[in-house]
Amino acid sequence: KEAQLSGAQAEKYSELASLAKDAAEAVGETINVFAQAMREQIQAEANEIFQSLIWKDSQWQDLRVNEDYRLEITDRWGYAATGELSAGEREVLSLAFITAMARVSKQEAPFVIDTPLGRVTMADAGDHIYLKTSGNPMIRFSLLETMYEEIQSPTYDDYDD
């Protein structure tokens, strides 16, 4: 049997549906405003970190975080240049972005780096390898160039009982 709504009940449900729709739109807009503000903070922090770590500081002008959180780099002439980054520069870019997110979130979490800047030659990196991550614990696994010479391939004799 179909339920029949009186005119007053139908009007009340229509008003409630309209109110729910307006509330959902307001929440959605609030989320968008918050997300944009966070993106801008992350972008500013990541740009600062990237510029402080990169050794070709006059080559890269600006770092942008787009709406999909993709990183975009422009060169000193203002052209898109993300594809022109070397492997080491891409690692620095990733490190800058991750560090920026950690700083902006203000959450305590360990920061683990496995062979940081492994594709960056020691001559290029200079003193730029150290990075403070807002007081969060940092665990770093790396081998310096001089240590590579000391590493030997294991032999059968190394595993004798």
Side-chain angles (χ1 to χ4, degrees):
K1 188 175 182 178
E2 289 185 25
Q4 298 288 326
L5 296 176
S6 69
Q9 287 176 321
E11 186 175 326
K12 179 179 176 181
Y13 287 127
S14 177
E15 287 175 9
L16 288 174
S18 177
L19 179 63
K21 179 183 174 199
D22 291 345
E25 288 174 2
V27 168
E29 182 60 29
T30 301
I31 289 170
N32 289 338
V33 168
F34 177 77
Q36 178 62 28
M38 289 296 102
R39 248 190 326 275
E40 289 172 4
Q41 287 181 26
I42 291 168
Q43 176 178 293
E45 192 75 30
N47 197 26
E48 180 182 321
I49 294 166
F50 181 73
Q51 294 298 332
S52 73
L53 289 175
I54 206 70
W55 47 96
K56 295 181 194 172
D57 50 2
S58 64
Q59 175 66 23
W60 313 117
Q61 180 182 13
D62 196 25
L63 181 152
R64 293 260 180 228
V65 179
N66 71 18
E67 288 189 16
D68 296 329
Y69 285 88
R70 292 197 176 147
L71 304 177
E72 300 167 351
I73 294 285
T74 55
D75 62 18
R76 61 183 169 201
W77 299 283
Y79 294 107
T82 307
E84 296 175 26
L85 295 172
S86 70
E89 290 165 336
R90 285 193 306 271
E91 286 185 6
V92 171
L93 178 61
S94 297
L95 181 62
F97 181 64
I98 292 166
T99 303
M101 288 192 303
R103 287 182 181 175
V104 169
S105 73
K106 296 182 172 86
Q107 296 295 315
E108 292 291 327
F111 196 73
V112 179
I113 304 174
D114 182 9
T115 313
L117 311 178
R119 294 184 176 135
V120 177
T121 64
M122 297 307 284
D124 287 338
D127 294 329
H128 298 292
I129 290 184
Y130 177 73
L131 177 67
K132 184 171 179 354
T133 58
S134 298
N136 294 346
M138 179 188 281
I139 302 168
R140 187 174 92 178
F141 304 103
S142 64
L143 294 173
L144 297 176
E145 217 170 64
T146 55
M147 295 173 74
Y148 286 114
E149 296 169 6
E150 298 173 16
I151 298 174
Q152 298 177 8
S153 297
T155 64
Y156 182 77
D157 293 336
D158 293 333
Y159 299 102
D160 282 344
D161 290 297

